[in-house]
C-alpha cells in the first residue's frame, strides 16, 4: 500500500476521516473519563467531564466497559 | 443514579420498535419501518421512589439473511424476547435467540412477550398447546 505516492495516500486519509469521523475516549478501569478527542461532535457528544463515569455522560456506553482486552464492533447505532 | 441496559430481541416485524415507541413516546403507527442496526433510547422510571434510567437497545430483527449480532447485547441487565403471535416461526426464532444470548452474556433475566394481541383470532399459537 505504501508504494502509493504521498498525495494519493493523503487523499485516502482525508477521505477516511470524512467518511468515518473517528473519535476516541480514554477511561480508567472504573470507566471514568481520562481523555477524549477526534470528531466527537459528529456523534452529538459535547461537554464531556473528565473524572466522571463515561456511561453517565454517554448513556449508550452503559454496560459496555471495561472491554477487557477485546475489541467490540457495533455498527449502525442510532 | 441506577442505570440499566435492556435489549429488545426477536424475529423481524414482531413489534420490538413499536413496543419501545409506545413505552418511551406513547405513540403507535401501523407503518412498518424495519430497524437497521440498533436504535437506542433512554427512559426514566420510578421504582420504589428511586429513579432508574433504562437504556433501551432496539435491535434489528433476525431473518434468514441476517443473524442478530451478539455484541450488541454486551452488558445488558435483561432483555425482551418478542414473538408475533400470528407467526409461529417467530416463536422458534425467539427460542434459538434466547439460547444464543445466554451462551454469550450468561443467564441474565428475560421476558418473553407474545405480541399482537389484537390479532389473537389469527394467532398460530394456541393456549394450552406447546408449539412443537
Ligand atoms: N396488529 C398489530 N400490529 C402490530 C403490533 N405491534 C406492531 N405491529 C405492526 O407490526 C409491524 C412491525 O412492527 P415493528 O415494531 O417495526 O417490528 P420490529 O420487530 O421492530 O421489526 P424489525 O425492526 O424489522 O425487526 C408494523 O407494521 C407495526 O405497526 C400489534 O400489537 N398489533
Ligand atoms: Mg424494529
Amino acid at each position: 500500500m505504501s508504494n502509493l505516492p504521498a498525495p494519493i495516500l493523503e487523499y485516502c486519509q482525508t477521505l477516511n476521516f470524512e467518511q468515518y469521523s473517528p473519535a476516541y475516549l480514554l477511561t480508567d478501569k472504573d470507566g471514568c473519563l481520562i481523555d477524549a478527542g477526534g470528531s466527537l461532535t459528529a456523534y452529538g457528544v459535547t461537554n464531556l467531564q473528565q473524572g466522571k463515569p463515561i456511561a453517565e455522560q454517554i448513556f449508550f456506553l452503559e454496560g459496555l466497559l471495561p472491554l477487557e482486552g477485546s475489541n467490540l464492533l457495533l455498527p449502525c447505532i442510532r | 443514579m441506577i442505570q440499566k441496559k435492556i435489549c429488545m430481541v426477536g424475529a423481524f416485524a414482531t413489534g420490538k420498535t413499536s413496543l419501545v415507541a409506545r413505552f418511551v413516546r406513547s405513540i403507535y403507527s401501523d407503518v412498518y419501518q424495519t430497524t437497521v442496526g440498533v436504535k437506542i433510547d433512554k427512559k426514566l422510571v420510578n421504582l420504589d421512589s428511586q429513579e432508574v434510567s433504562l437504556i433501551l437497545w432496539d435491535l434489528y430483527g433476525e431473518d434468514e439473511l441476517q443473524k442478530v449480532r451478539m455484541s450488541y447485547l454486551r452488558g445488558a441487565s435483561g432483555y425482551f424476547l418478542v414473538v408475533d403471535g400470528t407467526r409461529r416461526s417467530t416463536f422458534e426464532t425467539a427460542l434459538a435467540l434466547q439460547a444464543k444470548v445466554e451462551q454469550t452474556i450468561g443467564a441474565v433475566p428475560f421476558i418473553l412477550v407474545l405480541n399482537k394481541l389484537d390479532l389473537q383470532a389469527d394467532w398460530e399459537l394456541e393456549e394450552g398447546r406447546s408449539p412443537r
Side-chain angles (χ1 to χ4, degrees):
Chain A
M1 144 176 162
S2 48
N3 61 1
L4 289 170
I8 295 183
L9 265 181
E10 205 175 300
Y11 174 79
C12 292
Q13 211 171 36
T14 310
L15 204 64
N16 259 319
F17 276 115
E18 280 168 3
Q19 284 185 345
Y20 296 107
S21 304
Y24 74 94
L25 302 163
L26 180 66
T27 69
D28 64 18
K29 61 178 182 351
D30 301 319
C32 293
L33 186 66
I34 296 173
D35 193 16
S39 312
L40 284 163
T41 49
Y43 306 99
V45 174
T46 51
N47 301 324
L48 289 174
Q49 289 184 303
Q50 288 190 7
K52 280 184 105 185
I54 195 63
E56 281 176 16
Q57 307 186 62
I58 304 177
F59 64 81
F60 64 80
L61 292 176
E62 178 62 42
L64 296 182
L65 302 175
L67 286 174
E68 283 152 356
S70 61
N71 58 19
L72 191 62
L73 182 63
L74 302 170
C76 298
I77 293 187
R78 191 151 71 94
Chain B
M1 193 200 304
I2 300 179
Q3 190 161 265
K4 297 283 179 192
K5 171 176 175 177
I6 309 290
C7 293
M8 306 298 288
V9 183
F12 71 96
T14 50
K16 300 177 291 300
T17 300
S18 302
L19 287 165
V20 173
R22 184 61 172 263
F23 181 56
V24 177
R25 283 179 288 277
S26 304
I27 52 170
Y28 173 77
S29 163
D30 271 325
V31 180
Y32 175 35
Q33 273 191 305
T34 190
T35 303
V36 177
V38 56
K39 168 88 166 44
I40 307 174
D41 273 292
K42 179 172 165 165
K43 164 103 176 174
L44 295 175
V45 292
N46 273 308
L47 257 183
D48 302 328
S49 70
Q50 194 176 28
E51 203 163 58
V52 177
S53 158
L54 296 179
I55 313 299
L56 302 166
W57 285 53
D58 172 25
L59 308 186
Y60 62 91
E62 177 144 310
D63 62 20
E64 302 80 39
L65 298 174
Q66 219 181 10
K67 300 283 161 215
V68 173
R69 185 185 275 273
M70 285 298 127
S71 57
Y72 287 126
L73 281 122
R74 184 186 170 92
S77 298
Y79 56 100
F80 287 92
L81 273 179
V82 185
V83 172
D84 175 350
T86 67
R87 286 180 295 146
R88 173 184 293 248
S89 66
T90 66
F91 183 80
E92 266 123 49
T93 303
L95 291 184
L97 278 169
Q98 197 279 322
K100 221 167 118 184
V101 172
E102 192 154 319
Q103 225 174 49
T104 316
I105 63 168
V108 307
F110 67 90
I111 293 175
L112 183 82
V113 177
L114 272 180
N115 203 22
K116 309 202 181 176
L117 186 67
D118 55 308
L119 301 178
Q120 205 165 10
D122 303 325
W123 272 22
E124 291 181 349
L125 298 162
E126 287 159 43
E127 220 174 305
R129 207 186 110 202
S130 68
R132 254 196 305 136

